[in-house]
Amino acid sequence: MENNLTRAEISEKVIRLFVDIIGFIDRSQVTEQTDFIHDFKIIDEDLTCFVMQIKWQFKLQATQDDWDHITTIQQVVDLIVQCRRRGN
């Protein structure tokens, strides 16, 4: 089922995961342009938990190099879409 999601559905799921994991951010404050590091200063355990949930929820086989420069929700969604295109 997860493989059949549209980009918009992936985006919404990523945003929901972010809001649920971080806990103190309202959904209305988050868009694809949200930079979780600069906008909300999310850098430690919360960010690690978010990345781990993304990997698990989307069965994502991205490398550390893939994650190194990701700071926005849009970049996370792009990574998921890109990994699906290449089959992982």
Side-chain angles (χ1 to χ4, degrees):
M1 179 184 137
E2 294 295 321
N3 288 332
N4 297 327
L5 295 176
T6 66
R7 189 182 193 296
E9 291 169 329
I10 292 169
S11 178
E12 185 57 32
K13 187 165 184 171
V14 168
I15 290 171
R16 291 272 174 214
L17 281 170
F18 180 75
V19 169
D20 290 348
I21 289 166
I22 303 308
F24 66 87
I25 299 169
D26 188 81
R27 168 63 184 92
S28 65
Q29 295 176 280
V30 182
T31 68
E32 275 201 14
Q33 287 67 47
T34 296
D35 184 317
F36 34 84
I37 294 172
H38 298 102
D39 294 344
F40 295 111
K41 310 293 187 248
I42 308 296
I43 57 170
D44 292 326
E45 293 86 17
D46 289 334
L47 184 57
T48 300
C49 185
F50 173 63
V51 169
M52 295 304 290
Q53 280 297 312
I54 293 295
K55 288 179 176 181
W56 181 73
Q57 292 282 329
F58 291 97
K59 298 173 180 51
L60 198 59
Q61 299 296 318
T63 67
Q64 186 58 48
D65 286 342
D66 292 328
W67 286 102
D68 278 346
H69 302 288
I70 291 180
T71 62
T72 67
I73 299 293
Q74 181 176 3
Q75 290 170 322
V76 173
V77 174
D78 290 345
L79 179 61
I80 293 166
V81 170
Q82 175 187 359
C83 284
R84 289 191 173 182
R85 285 187 187 138
R86 57 181 198 221
N88 52 342

